């Protein structure tokens, strides 16, 4: 009897996908930045930032501060952020 062929796994659209962004420096420490993007049940694209200090021992995460009706609009909002905005967001989570 032939074995069933495994189907390629399709990611759950409600599960966030992490995307690497440009790292930042805060008080001389390198901070990796990732964007977690997901599509909610109502069809809205949502995203939150993940800040990982060098060494990876501590991660700080924002709420879903990005919200858009299309993935393209969400990425445009992310591209509009400047490094000083990212540093300010990180500082608000670190203090």
């Amino acid at each position: 009897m032939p074995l069933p062929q495994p189907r390629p796994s399709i990611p759950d659209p409600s599960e966030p996908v992490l995307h690497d962004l440009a790292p930042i420096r805060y008080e001389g420490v390198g901070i990796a930045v990732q964007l977690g993007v997901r599509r909610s049940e109502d069809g809205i694209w949502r995203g939150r930032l993940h800040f990982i200090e060098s060494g990876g021992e501590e991660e700080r995460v924002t709420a879903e501060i990005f919200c858009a009706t299309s993935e393209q609009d969400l990425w445009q909002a992310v591209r509009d952020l400047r490094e000083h905005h990212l540093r300010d967001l990180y500082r608000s989570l670190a203090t």
Side-chain angles (χ1 to χ4, degrees):
M1 176 189 293
L3 294 174
Q5 294 296 320
R7 288 196 236 172
S9 64
I10 299 170
D12 182 356
S14 65
E15 287 296 315
V17 176
L18 293 175
H19 301 275
D20 291 329
L21 302 178
I24 61 170
R25 293 198 68 74
Y26 180 73
E27 295 183 349
V29 177
I31 309 292
V33 182
Q34 294 180 326
L35 177 69
V37 177
R38 71 178 186 91
R39 189 169 183 195
S40 58
E41 291 178 8
D42 59 1
I44 301 296
W45 289 88
R46 301 179 186 279
R48 64 178 67 210
L49 292 170
H50 298 250
F51 297 96
I52 302 115
E53 293 181 13
S54 57
E57 61 273 354
E58 188 161 359
E59 179 177 7
R60 301 174 195 281
V61 182
T62 67
E64 289 181 325
I65 59 176
F66 298 100
C67 188
T69 56
S70 73
E71 187 176 15
Q72 182 180 7
D73 288 344
L74 183 126
W75 278 104
Q76 185 60 49
V78 172
R79 280 191 292 274
D80 288 344
L81 282 178
R82 302 293 182 250
E83 186 175 340
H84 66 276
H85 294 124
L86 292 173
R87 274 196 310 271
D88 286 345
L89 283 166
Y90 176 76
R91 184 177 59 229
S92 72
L93 295 171
T95 55

